[in-house]
Amino acid sequence: MDSLTQIVLGAALSAAIAPAGHRRAALLAGAALGTLPDLDVIPVNLFTADPVERMTWHRSLSHSLLVLPFIAWAIWAWCRERGGRVAQSPKRWFWAMQAALLTHPVLDAFTVYGTQLLWPLPVKPVMWSSVFIIDPLYTVWLLLACVVAWFARERKLAQPALVVGLALSSLYLGGSLWAKSRVEHEAEAALAKLGLEDAPRFSVPMPFNTLLWRVVAMTPDGFVEGERSLVADRGPMQFRAYASDVQAYSQVSGYPAVHRLKWFNHGFMKAEQRDGRLIVTDLRMGAEPDYSFRFAVAERAAESWREIPPQQLQWPWDAARKLPAMWTRIWQEPEIVADAQAPAPTAMRAAAAVPAQSHNGGMR
């Protein structure tokens, strides 16, 4: 999640647990602890210039539930030895610090990026993907609670405000999981009619809301992509098919950078050739044809590919055009394509049933 959200979540939790007389100090301490795990970008960026390593090492050690409790304990023990507020109420401050620090990676796991909650165990990053990285309707309740608590200080108004803020934000998070389950149910039915009931897939909310969702399912020669509005859509989900250079991808899949990316993003990638280079794209963040993470991993060498140091690419993305279109899509269901639900066991047959809008795609 964005830094502001992590700050106000940590501050609200810490202030709700710490003694009332320490409320302002708890707000500041919780805000600092809530943003601390994301400072891992500093040592990671100093350690390596490799963009794939920078992407995949973020949210690892600093976000591990097997590491953070000990960090919180060390900070608490140091503060207690120095005396002051923590020494006056050590038990409540212990749990305030633990809560502020540990909820950071848990909240991050609700996004699609990938959070390594059990680092250093060799398990894939968690991506529950029920909220976008910035969601004002989650953050606003926590922000209001922190503002009230700051000015109310030890007065009785502060504690109920914090509890209500935490409760409303948690209910919104729970609602996002309910919304995701509805979208997944509709996607499952539509994909089954395309012969893709067993295809690896993911769903993720579109920016800043949980009303409009994007679903991607992988196919042997690409992927299909569709949207679902919980407000407007009543008919079956429709999917567009895209192809990927799976042959080229198979030739570079053993490269360390590509192998690392596949582990990190659960294989939700596409490959394409541009200007003599092979580009692999993370399909989870963005929408066809605009994505946040693209990497050049190889260049053409005669009839094969030659590995190159990964290079992160930035391609134009017209947000001024995309965001209004997304807002309109929330409230309007597109026209149903008559043969959109015809069985199509591969991406190419799906393309025949649901016309593709691009030649870009993904691979399993």
Side-chain angles (χ1 to χ4, degrees), residues 227-262:
E227 295 82 35
R228 185 73 179 180
S229 168
L230 295 175
V231 176
D233 293 4
R234 295 295 179 267
M237 281 192 70
Q238 301 180 72
F239 287 88
R240 302 169 299 279
Y242 301 93
S244 172
D245 196 334
V246 293
Q247 181 178 2
Y249 174 76
S250 67
Q251 296 174 5
V252 305
S253 60
Y255 294 174
V258 179
H259 181 75
R260 177 76 176 176
L261 279 172
K262 183 179 179 181

Side-chain angles (χ1 to χ4, degrees), residues 31-304:
L33 290 169
T35 198
L36 181 62
D38 279 342
L39 297 182
D40 65 348
V41 296
I42 298 175
V44 168
N45 289 352
L46 290 174
F47 175 76
T48 179
D50 186 319
V52 171
E53 290 183 347
R54 285 181 170 182
M55 178 186 183
T56 59
W57 276 102
H58 178 46
R59 297 196 188 180
S60 58
L61 181 153
S62 68
H63 287 61
S64 173
L65 297 179
L66 302 180
V67 174
L68 286 179
F70 299 100
I71 295 177
W73 172 83
I75 295 172
W76 169 81
W78 180 78
C79 292
R80 186 187 59 177
E81 290 301 316
R82 291 173 58 87
R85 297 180 182 87
V86 176
Q88 294 170 20
S89 185
K91 181 178 293 187
R92 295 184 71 170
W93 271 102
F94 174 83
W95 290 113
M97 291 181 175
Q98 289 283 347
L101 201 54
L102 291 175
T103 51
H104 179 118
V106 174
L107 182 58
D108 274 348
F110 280 87
T111 70
V112 77
Y113 183 89
T115 306
Q116 298 173 53
L117 292 180
L118 298 180
W119 187 95
L121 299 181
V123 295
K124 290 184 177 181
V126 175
M127 45 177 231
W128 295 325
S129 62
S130 70
V131 290
F132 189 66
I133 57 171
I134 301 174
D135 194 322
L137 286 179
Y138 175 80
T139 308
V140 65
W141 314 112
L142 297 169
L143 179 60
L144 290 173
C146 288
V147 170
V148 171
W150 179 265
F151 288 104
R153 302 184 72 166
E154 68 273 9
R155 295 198 295 272
K156 290 183 177 181
L157 173 64
Q159 188 70 8
L162 290 166
V163 171
V164 169
L166 289 165
L168 290 175
S169 62
S170 298
L171 284 173
Y172 183 81
L173 207 57
S176 74
L177 293 172
W178 172 80
K180 183 180 178 72
S181 69
R182 285 191 57 189
V183 171
E184 291 276 1
H185 177 75
E186 295 295 334
E188 183 178 10
L191 290 170
K193 293 182 178 180
L194 293 172
L196 298 173
E197 61 271 17
D198 296 324
R201 63 178 178 269
F202 70 91
S203 60
V204 62
M206 300 293 274
F208 317 126
N209 76 100
T210 55
L211 298 176
L212 180 63
W213 292 70
R214 171 175 172 259
V215 178
V216 171
M218 309 307 294
T219 66
D221 39 23
F223 68 99
V224 293
E225 178 186 67
E227 295 82 35
R228 185 73 179 180
S229 168
L230 295 175
V231 176
D233 293 4
R234 295 295 179 267
M237 281 192 70
Q238 301 180 72
F239 287 88
R240 302 169 299 279
Y242 301 93
S244 172
D245 196 334
V246 293
Q247 181 178 2
Y249 174 76
S250 67
Q251 296 174 5
V252 305
S253 60
Y255 294 174
V258 179
H259 181 75
R260 177 76 176 176
L261 279 172
K262 183 179 179 181
W263 170 80
F264 187 76
N265 61 32
H266 297 234
F268 293 114
M269 288 192 293
K270 71 172 183 175
E272 57 191 320
Q273 299 184 39
R274 283 182 176 253
D275 302 323
R277 295 188 298 177
L278 186 65
I279 314 299
V280 294
T281 298
D282 190 322
L283 294 172
R284 300 170 304 154
M285 286 161 279
E288 193 65 29
D290 302 305
Y291 295 97
S292 300
F293 293 98
R294 307 175 188 265
F295 303 94
V297 296
E299 62 183 13
R300 174 63 69 182
E303 297 300 318
S304 61

